[in-house]
Amino acid sequence: MIDSYFFIPGDKPKYLNKIKDFNADFFVIDLEDSVSNNNKEIAMNNILDFEFSEQTFLRIPLYDNSYTENQIYRLIKKFNGNIVLPKFKSSNDLERLVILGGEIKLKIIILIENPLGLINLNETLSQYNESIYGIGFGSHDFCAEMGFSHTYENLDHYKRQLILLSKAYDKKYIDGVDLN
């Protein structure tokens, strides 16, 4: 059976309030692409006021300076270390997340959204295996970075690489977004 991951913008309380009504295996509260820069603080305050299940992850941008290190720590703690790491490029990204999380045991989903992230994934999996829960494929961003259209033919090779690495390291593979 394939698990479903439902992404919800953190700045939209009307959707946060309806989480129990959505039929998904996991939820990802998004503080990255779906939240405008003007609403980052609103989103953070919204989610700090909510209670989330263990099946909920937080997608947080580490490098756009939207949040201070203290805020990132509070968010990691709020989600019990369940983090989706977008725009992954190298093990340095995980090192930063591990440092910011301090003593919190992390359960990270790495999103591969660019070629550098794919190239560096094997090294990162071997170095941070115990902190990584799964590998997600941000296929739309990946295609934009690569400069080609989002088609099965263009993505098949890269999906197979990600599935192989996920299987080799016993991690979940989370396929690209279905806009339906």
Coordinates of all heavy atoms in Angstrom, one line a residue, residues 146-177:
M146 N 16.2 21.5 -14.0 CA 16.9 20.8 -15.1 C 16.5 21.4 -16.5 O 17.2 21.1 -17.5 CB 16.5 19.3 -15.2 CG 16.9 18.5 -14.0 SD 18.7 18.3 -13.9 CE 18.9 17.1 -15.2
G147 N 15.5 22.2 -16.6 CA 15.1 22.9 -17.8 C 14.4 22.0 -18.8 O 14.5 22.1 -20.0
F148 N 13.6 21.0 -18.3 CA 12.8 20.2 -19.1 C 11.4 20.0 -18.6 O 11.1 20.4 -17.5 CB 13.5 18.8 -19.5 CG 13.9 17.9 -18.3 CD1 13.0 17.5 -17.4 CD2 15.2 17.6 -18.1 CE1 13.3 16.6 -16.3 CE2 15.6 16.7 -17.1 CZ 14.7 16.3 -16.2
S149 N 10.5 19.5 -19.5 CA 9.1 19.4 -19.1 C 8.9 18.3 -18.2 O 9.6 17.3 -18.2 CB 8.2 19.4 -20.4 OG 8.6 18.2 -21.1
H150 N 7.8 18.4 -17.5 CA 7.4 17.4 -16.4 C 6.7 16.2 -17.1 O 5.4 16.2 -17.2 CB 6.6 18.1 -15.4 CG 6.3 17.2 -14.2 ND1 5.3 16.4 -14.0 CD2 7.1 17.1 -13.0 CE1 5.3 15.8 -12.8 NE2 6.4 16.2 -12.2
T151 N 7.4 15.3 -17.6 CA 6.8 14.1 -18.3 C 7.4 12.8 -17.7 O 8.5 12.9 -17.1 CB 7.1 14.1 -19.8 OG1 8.5 14.0 -20.0 CG2 6.6 15.4 -20.5
Y152 N 6.7 11.8 -17.8 CA 7.2 10.5 -17.4 C 8.5 10.1 -18.0 O 9.4 9.7 -17.3 CB 6.1 9.4 -17.7 CG 6.6 8.0 -17.3 CD1 6.6 7.6 -16.0 CD2 7.1 7.1 -18.3 CE1 7.1 6.3 -15.6 CE2 7.6 5.9 -18.0 CZ 7.6 5.5 -16.6 OH 8.1 4.2 -16.3
E153 N 8.6 10.4 -19.3 CA 9.9 10.0 -20.0 C 11.1 10.8 -19.4 O 12.2 10.3 -19.3 CB 9.8 10.3 -21.5 CG 8.8 9.4 -22.2 CD 7.3 9.8 -22.0 OE1 7.0 10.9 -21.6 OE2 6.5 8.9 -22.2
N154 N 10.9 12.0 -19.1 CA 12.0 12.9 -18.5 C 12.3 12.5 -17.1 O 13.4 12.7 -16.6 CB 11.6 14.3 -18.6 CG 11.7 14.9 -20.0 OD1 12.3 14.3 -20.9 ND2 11.0 16.0 -20.2
L155 N 11.3 12.0 -16.3 CA 11.5 11.7 -14.9 C 11.8 10.3 -14.6 O 12.4 10.0 -13.5 CB 10.2 12.1 -14.1 CG 10.0 13.6 -14.1 CD1 8.6 13.9 -13.6 CD2 11.0 14.4 -13.4
D156 N 11.5 9.3 -15.4 CA 11.7 7.9 -15.1 C 13.1 7.6 -14.6 O 13.2 6.9 -13.6 CB 11.3 7.1 -16.4 CG 11.4 5.6 -16.1 OD1 10.7 5.2 -15.1 OD2 12.0 4.9 -16.9
H157 N 14.1 8.0 -15.3 CA 15.5 7.7 -14.9 C 15.8 8.1 -13.5 O 16.4 7.4 -12.6 CB 16.5 8.3 -15.9 CG 17.9 8.2 -15.4 ND1 18.6 7.1 -15.5 CD2 18.7 9.2 -14.9 CE1 19.8 7.3 -15.0 NE2 19.9 8.6 -14.7
Y158 N 15.4 9.4 -13.1 CA 15.7 9.9 -11.8 C 14.8 9.3 -10.7 O 15.3 9.0 -9.6 CB 15.4 11.5 -11.8 CG 16.3 12.1 -12.9 CD1 15.7 12.6 -14.1 CD2 17.6 12.2 -12.8 CE1 16.4 13.1 -15.1 CE2 18.4 12.8 -13.8 CZ 17.8 13.2 -15.0 OH 18.5 13.7 -16.0
K159 N 13.6 9.0 -11.0 CA 12.7 8.2 -10.1 C 13.4 6.9 -9.7 O 13.4 6.5 -8.6 CB 11.3 8.0 -10.6 CG 10.5 9.3 -10.6 CD 9.1 9.0 -11.0 CE 8.2 10.2 -10.9 NZ 6.8 9.9 -11.0
R160 N 13.8 6.2 -10.7 CA 14.5 4.9 -10.5 C 15.7 5.0 -9.6 O 15.9 4.2 -8.7 CB 14.8 4.2 -11.8 CG 13.6 3.7 -12.6 CD 14.0 3.2 -13.9 NE 12.9 2.9 -14.8 CZ 12.3 1.7 -14.8 NH1 12.7 0.7 -14.1 NH2 11.2 1.6 -15.6
Q161 N 16.5 6.1 -9.8 CA 17.7 6.3 -8.9 C 17.2 6.5 -7.5 O 17.8 6.0 -6.6 CB 18.5 7.5 -9.4 CG 19.3 7.2 -10.7 CD 20.1 8.4 -11.0 OE1 19.6 9.5 -11.3 NE2 21.4 8.3 -11.0
L162 N 16.2 7.3 -7.3 CA 15.7 7.6 -6.0 C 15.1 6.4 -5.3 O 15.3 6.1 -4.1 CB 14.7 8.7 -6.0 CG 15.3 10.1 -6.4 CD1 14.2 11.1 -6.6 CD2 16.3 10.6 -5.3
I163 N 14.4 5.6 -6.1 CA 13.8 4.3 -5.5 C 14.9 3.4 -5.1 O 14.9 2.8 -4.0 CB 12.9 3.7 -6.5 CG1 11.6 4.6 -6.7 CG2 12.5 2.3 -6.1 CD1 10.7 4.2 -7.8
L164 N 16.0 3.3 -5.9 CA 17.1 2.4 -5.6 C 17.8 2.8 -4.3 O 18.1 2.0 -3.5 CB 18.1 2.4 -6.8 CG 19.4 1.6 -6.6 CD1 19.1 0.1 -6.6 CD2 20.4 2.0 -7.7
L165 N 18.1 4.1 -4.2 CA 18.7 4.6 -3.0 C 17.8 4.4 -1.8 O 18.3 4.1 -0.7 CB 19.1 6.1 -3.1 CG 20.4 6.3 -4.0 CD1 20.5 7.8 -4.4 CD2 21.6 5.8 -3.3
S166 N 16.6 4.7 -1.9 CA 15.6 4.5 -0.8 C 15.6 3.1 -0.3 O 15.7 2.8 0.9 CB 14.2 5.0 -1.2 OG 14.2 6.3 -1.5
K167 N 15.6 2.2 -1.3 CA 15.5 0.7 -1.0 C 16.9 0.3 -0.3 O 16.9 -0.4 0.7 CB 15.3 -0.1 -2.2 CG 15.0 -1.5 -2.0 CD 13.7 -1.7 -1.3 CE 13.3 -3.2 -1.2 NZ 12.2 -3.4 -0.4
A168 N 18.0 0.8 -0.9 CA 19.3 0.4 -0.4 C 19.5 0.8 1.1 O 20.1 0.1 1.9 CB 20.4 1.0 -1.2
Y169 N 18.9 1.9 1.5 CA 19.1 2.4 2.8 C 17.8 2.2 3.7 O 17.7 2.7 4.8 CB 19.4 3.9 2.8 CG 20.9 4.1 2.4 CD1 21.2 4.4 1.1 CD2 21.9 4.1 3.3 CE1 22.5 4.6 0.7 CE2 23.2 4.3 2.9 CZ 23.5 4.5 1.6 OH 24.8 4.7 1.2
D170 N 16.9 1.4 3.2 CA 15.6 1.1 3.9 C 14.9 2.3 4.3 O 14.5 2.5 5.5 CB 15.9 0.2 5.1 CG 14.7 -0.5 5.6 OD1 13.8 -0.7 4.9 OD2 14.7 -0.8 6.9
K171 N 14.7 3.2 3.4 CA 13.9 4.5 3.6 C 12.7 4.5 2.8 O 12.6 3.8 1.7 CB 14.8 5.7 3.3 CG 16.1 5.8 4.0 CD 15.8 5.8 5.5 CE 17.1 5.7 6.3 NZ 16.9 5.4 7.7
K172 N 11.7 5.2 3.2 CA 10.5 5.4 2.4 C 10.8 6.2 1.2 O 11.5 7.2 1.3 CB 9.3 6.0 3.2 CG 8.7 5.1 4.2 CD 7.4 5.7 4.7 CE 6.8 4.8 5.7 NZ 5.7 4.0 5.1
Y173 N 10.2 5.8 0.0 CA 10.3 6.7 -1.1 C 8.9 7.4 -1.3 O 7.9 6.7 -1.3 CB 10.6 5.9 -2.4 CG 10.5 6.7 -3.7 CD1 11.4 7.7 -3.9 CD2 9.4 6.5 -4.5 CE1 11.3 8.5 -5.1 CE2 9.3 7.3 -5.7 CZ 10.2 8.3 -5.9 OH 10.1 9.1 -7.0
I174 N 8.9 8.7 -1.4 CA 7.7 9.4 -1.6 C 7.7 10.1 -2.9 O 8.6 11.0 -3.2 CB 7.6 10.5 -0.4 CG1 7.6 9.8 0.9 CG2 6.3 11.3 -0.6 CD1 8.0 10.6 2.1
D175 N 6.8 9.7 -3.8 CA 6.8 10.2 -5.2 C 6.4 11.6 -5.3 O 5.9 12.2 -4.3 CB 5.9 9.3 -6.0 CG 6.3 9.3 -7.5 OD1 7.3 9.9 -7.9 OD2 5.6 8.6 -8.3
G176 N 6.5 12.2 -6.5 CA 6.2 13.6 -6.7 C 4.7 13.9 -6.4 O 3.9 13.0 -6.1
V177 N 4.4 15.2 -6.5 CA 3.1 15.7 -6.2 C 2.1 15.3 -7.3 O 2.3 15.4 -8.4 CB 3.2 17.3 -6.1 CG1 1.8 17.9 -6.0 CG2 4.1 17.7 -5.0

